[in-house]
Amino acid sequence: MGPLHGFKVIEVAGIGPGPFTAMMLADMGADVVRVDRADRVGGDPSSPPVDVLYRGRRSIGGEPEVARRCRVVLDLVEGADALIEGFRPGVTERLGIGPDECLARNPKLVYSRMTGWGQDGPYADTAGHDINYIALAGALAHLGRAGEQPTPPINLIGDFGGGGMLQAFGVVCALLEAQRSGEGQVVDAAMVDGTATLMTMMWAFTAMGVWTEDRGSNMLDTGSHFYDTYETADGKYVSIGSIEPQFYAELLRLTGLEEHLAGRARTCRSSSTPRSGPRSRRSWRRSSPPGRVTNGAR
């Protein structure tokens, strides 16, 4: 059992952030029921699903007819604490399972919806993917090395960090409020908003004058030799994060660069930056306990 044991959540089948939200809630003990098309439900209940995003919850295969599946959703809502869906704006309303219909069945329900751009605004009805959301939110411009094009961080920021994880947080907050007030509410999560929220520290650093818009020139974006990845003699990589003075001193000792870099500004790039070869990654890990200077990076 987990802290969400006893809460029942209806997941209207979707992709990306929605299943991630459901997975997180199920991992914390919620009873999550996924409503999907009948041809997508099956398998051995005793075996974990191949796609681990679907772990920890049951699935119901609805009727082929959309209207009948929607009636199943409304019936389930009556005994649920929350519902999560990830359709484009207006779709659930057209299907008859929008917030008004569901809250009429269960006034204490937390109705959570996930979109890329939000329920309204100039992009609301526009298709998009993680890379589009994080670009407009201002995150993608900061990912990559100096002089190179921005590098998409797979779909970790928009779909999962700024999407599913933020939606799960909103659902739990609304569940707490519903327990206190007896009233449900709509939790409107958008990946572009969540991504902008994840950038809060960068905007604060910019306001303080310690972060610039020049990609690859800041302490945490490969602009510093003590916070980067380096290739080892065996063609693998190590990550170096030696921000604190004591760890930086250890970095200089292990790399043999004490005479070259000691006393110099630690935020500068230099032709004498740490070079991990000709040693293998295993050798570097043996000489530096994890968390102090280096860690493996495939």
Side-chain angles (χ1 to χ4, degrees):
M1 294 194 302
L4 295 182
H5 175 72
F7 288 96
K8 184 173 182 178
V9 180
I10 307 304
E11 174 196 0
V12 180
I15 60 173
F20 187 78
T21 297
M23 181 196 74
M24 292 192 67
L25 298 176
D27 284 352
M28 291 296 103
D31 178 13
V32 181
V33 177
R34 178 181 174 89
V35 181
D36 207 341
R37 294 204 308 257
D39 59 353
R40 294 183 178 179
V41 176
D44 183 357
S46 64
S47 300
V50 175
D51 188 341
V52 295
L53 279 176
Y54 299 135
R55 70 177 182 239
R57 53 197 190 272
R58 296 172 291 159
S59 296
I60 293 180
E63 298 286 342
E65 184 184 340
V66 174
R68 292 183 179 178
R69 286 208 304 274
C70 291
R71 285 198 291 271
V72 170
V73 171
L74 291 175
D75 289 342
L76 290 171
V77 158
E78 293 182 356
D81 296 289
L83 177 145
I84 58 177
E85 61 94 354
F87 292 109
R88 290 193 195 179
V91 171
T92 57
E93 284 84 353
R94 291 195 296 272
L95 292 174
I97 55 172
D100 292 343
E101 292 85 355
C102 289
L103 286 166
R105 291 284 190 108
N106 182 355
K108 197 176 178 180
L109 182 75
V110 173
Y111 190 103
S112 179
R113 50 202 339 188
M114 167 61 68
T115 60
W117 307 110
Q119 293 296 317
D120 50 40
Y123 291 95
D125 296 322
T126 306
H129 287 287
D130 183 289
I131 190 172
N132 309 122
Y133 309 135
I134 69 174
L136 197 66
L140 185 57
H142 295 273
L143 305 175
R145 297 187 178 277
E148 299 180 7
Q149 65 192 55
T151 303
I154 50 181
N155 63 328
L156 296 177
I157 296 179
D159 279 352
F160 302 130
M165 192 169 292
L166 204 68
Q167 185 182 30
F169 173 70
V171 168
V172 173
C173 289
L175 286 173
L176 290 173
E177 166 61 20
Q179 293 296 301
R180 182 173 60 183
S181 68
E183 296 182 359
Q185 61 180 284
V186 176
V187 175
D188 181 8
M191 285 173 267
V192 68
D193 294 337
T195 299
T197 300
L198 293 178
M199 290 293 292
T200 298
M201 188 176 77
M202 273 59 255
W203 309 143
F205 281 177
T206 301
M208 291 186 290
V210 295
W211 189 274
T212 74
E213 291 292 312
D214 298 326
R215 184 169 49 256
S217 65
N218 302 284
M219 182 177 70
L220 301 177
D221 65 356
T222 73
S224 299
H225 57 268
F226 56 85
Y227 200 89
D228 206 344
T229 58
Y230 294 91
E231 186 175 5
T232 54
D234 51 359
K236 298 180 180 179
Y237 292 85
V238 293
S239 61
I240 292 180
S242 302
I243 298 176
E244 295 79 6
Q246 67 272 27
F247 297 139
Y248 186 67
E250 184 77 349
L251 170 66
L252 298 186
R253 184 187 68 80
L254 290 171
T255 56
L257 292 172
E258 291 172 291
E259 295 183 1
H260 296 280
L261 294 178
R264 297 182 61 176
R266 293 199 303 130
T267 56
C268 70
R269 273 288 179 186
S270 168
S271 59
S272 298
T273 53
R275 298 186 180 279
S276 54
R279 296 167 59 179
S280 68
R281 185 172 70 183
R282 183 183 294 254
S283 173
W284 280 108
R285 294 188 68 177
R286 286 175 176 171
S287 64
S288 174
R292 290 184 62 186
V293 174
T294 66
N295 273 318
R298 294 184 68 86

